[in-house]
Amino acid sequence: MRDVQQLSGGIDLVEEDGVTVLRLCGEVDSLVVEAWDAGGPRTPGAGAVDLSGATFLDGRALRLLVRETEHARRAGGLPELRRPSPMVRRMLEMTGAAVLFTAVC
């Protein structure tokens, strides 16, 4: 598990009920994503994204969601988007990325 929460936001990867979950919290901007990427290789892809603690995502954070869940789509599934805020839902809809996830409230 990697954690970059010393910044304005944080990203970590956890296992929940046999599913790898990418968990975002706080303000996830390009600096937070850069720190996450600098952490090196990790398990191949998340099957779910927990956004319950995220207060802000920029465009680079949105690309991270798509990139880190690509493995699940290639395996034939749609990754879960857990507890996204209305702002995050709107961002996904506006960019066309909403179809890449199954929303779970």
Side-chain angles (χ1 to χ4, degrees):
M1 176 166 97
R2 301 243 192 254
D3 195 346
V4 292
Q5 294 191 0
Q6 71 274 11
L7 301 168
S8 61
I11 306 168
D12 64 335
L13 202 56
V14 298
E15 286 288 321
E16 293 179 1
D17 299 322
V19 175
T20 302
V21 179
L22 185 70
R23 193 168 43 197
L24 283 69
C25 67
E27 297 179 14
V28 183
D29 58 16
S30 59
L31 291 175
V32 174
V33 174
E34 184 177 306
W36 170 257
D37 288 343
R42 26 191 94 66
T43 59
V49 179
D50 182 351
L51 295 167
S52 61
T55 57
F56 172 81
L57 301 180
D58 71 1
R60 192 161 174 198
L62 178 59
R63 286 191 302 276
L64 171 86
L65 298 184
V66 173
R67 182 186 76 210
E68 293 292 330
T69 56
E70 182 62 27
H71 186 265
R73 282 186 291 284
R74 287 186 183 190
L78 278 181
E80 292 180 354
L81 194 62
R82 298 179 180 173
R83 297 175 292 280
S85 70
M87 181 270 307
V88 170
R89 281 183 191 243
R90 180 80 173 125
M91 185 178 189
L92 289 166
E93 290 167 1
M94 289 176 51
T95 61
V99 298
L100 301 175
F101 300 93
T102 298
V104 178
C105 295

